[in-house]
Amino acid sequence: MSILVTGGAGYIGSHCVAALVERGYDVAVIDCGGHKAALKGGRLYEGSTADRDFLRSVFQKEQVDAVIHFAASSLVGESMTAPEKYFRNNVAGAINLADTMLEFKVPYLVFSSTAATFGEPERTPILDNDPQKPTNPYGESKLIIEKMLKWYDYAHGLKFCALRYFNVAGAWHDGSIGEDHRPETHLIPIILQVAQGKRENLKLFGTDYPTKDGTCVRDYIHVEDLIDAHLLALDYLKKGNPSATFNLGNGTGFSNRQIIEAARKVTGHPIPVIEKGRRAGDPAVLIASSQKAMDVLGWKPKYTSIEQIIETAWKWHSTHPNGYGD
Ligand code: UDP
């Protein structure tokens, strides 16, 4: 019996594969846009969730016990100008995957959802059952999938956990795998590219938000802590528990300026900043309450300091100046 990880060669997926392999699971991976070098194990099948025949061929070869579904387009900014890509890749891909799971009688799915399903929250920290009103097509596509899965469970008994990630950051503890998006759009890796001398400055999007220093506030969770929650969610489903959603963050908000300051401390680099206008689709403040994940899954993040999180990312970036180099 194997765990199938879609998007397993991507940033978060590769950390999941590493954790599963380390804990002795048999792992199969589907990926079409990630880095092969990021895989610490597992059998890789190169293809897309858009291709139902490809998915069938993988499920025919593998005795899949459960699926952890990461494969998705995940850029808020891009989703504002190319929403069709998000509904096609994310929603249609998830339908293909869920249908294939039904066909092959695979009962458990752990699904990557996002804080972006909440949009501009009415209160912080955000609880799991707070209203979800996405402000961008990326969040909307993930919310559609959450809703869809509820009905797949109702009609067909497909059990799922939807894990709503807040801002995922950091790298594997030894710095051997980490974040390498092409193009890179996320705040911490871009700041670290400035520290590496690969960019001259950081463009800071929006300084007029209604926050303490005018910049957006986000809740950063270390990628290894995030993956721990996936493995706990898998155990939770295998014990016969009902489908559930969980918010995953540290419960503390850091403004973009605070992140820049923390990165200056960690790297010793001045990180020059150019102030720009707001990026479309960005909510001002996103902070999670992960209380439900703690209470129900027994989850507890190990990385609670932002410097510690940035330190692991810096370990990866400084030892891999060209990322995976492909
Ligand atoms: N951000 C920024 N400059 C950049 C990249 C990101 O100012 O080059 C800001 C972005 O507008 C947001 C925060 O950093 O306020 C976090 O953005 P990121 O893309 O890392 O994650 P998101 O919150 O969109 O998932």
Side-chain angles (χ1 to χ4, degrees), residues 139-159:
E140 192 82 69
S141 72
K142 294 283 187 169
L143 180 57
I144 290 170
I145 300 167
E146 283 193 13
K147 290 184 174 175
M148 182 186 100
L149 289 175
K150 186 182 87 176
W151 295 109
Y152 269 68
D153 180 8
Y154 176 84
H156 305 296
L158 179 67
K159 295 293 170 218

Side-chain angles (χ1 to χ4, degrees), residues 6 21 24 54 101 105 115 127 129 150 198 206 210 215 228 250 272 275 294 316:
T6 74
V21 168
F54 163 73
M101 290 178 68
K105 300 191 170 28
L127 297 175
N129 52 6
K150 186 182 87 176
K198 291 173 76 176
T215 64
D228 278 348
N250 258 309
E275 296 187 4
M294 294 181 186
W316 152 255

Side-chain angles (χ1 to χ4, degrees), residues 50-215:
D51 183 347
R52 186 77 200 275
D53 290 336
F54 163 73
L55 286 179
R56 275 207 191 94
S57 72
V58 175
F59 280 73
Q60 262 151 13
K61 286 184 204 116
E62 297 284 340
Q63 288 289 313
V64 179
D65 190 25
V67 176
I68 307 183
H69 180 39
F70 295 102
S73 297
S74 60
L75 304 178
V76 167
E78 182 190 59
S79 80
M80 295 296 281
T81 54
E84 64 283 359
K85 177 174 173 184
Y86 284 72
F87 296 110
R88 194 180 313 115
N89 290 357
N90 298 357
V91 179
I95 293 172
N96 280 336
L97 180 66
D99 285 351
T100 312
M101 290 178 68
L102 294 183
E103 188 181 330
F104 287 83
K105 300 191 170 28
V106 177
Y108 309 122
L109 173 65
V110 178
F111 167 62
S112 297
S113 189
T114 170
T117 59
F118 289 106
E120 199 69 63
E122 284 164 21
R123 60 170 175 182
T124 53
I126 304 170
L127 297 175
D128 300 80
N129 52 6
D130 278 354
Q132 289 172 289
K133 295 178 195 158
T135 52
N136 56 63
Y138 166 60
E140 192 82 69
S141 72
K142 294 283 187 169
L143 180 57
I144 290 170
I145 300 167
E146 283 193 13
K147 290 184 174 175
M148 182 186 100
L149 289 175
K150 186 182 87 176
W151 295 109
Y152 269 68
D153 180 8
Y154 176 84
H156 305 296
L158 179 67
K159 295 293 170 218
F160 71 95
C161 281
L163 306 183
R164 302 192 192 116
Y165 313 162
F166 282 61
N167 287 59
V168 188
W172 194 249
H173 49 272
D174 65 2
S176 58
I177 56 173
E179 198 163 4
D180 181 7
H181 294 113
R182 315 281 173 96
E184 189 53 77
T185 66
H186 295 294
L187 182 65
I188 291 177
I190 287 182
I191 291 175
L192 296 181
Q193 286 179 353
V194 177
Q196 282 179 293
K198 291 173 76 176
R199 292 177 192 250
E200 282 185 8
N201 50 56
L202 171 81
K203 293 177 182 53
L204 177 58
F205 299 138
T207 53
D208 61 347
Y209 284 96
T211 59
K212 51 196 164 191
D213 64 19
T215 64

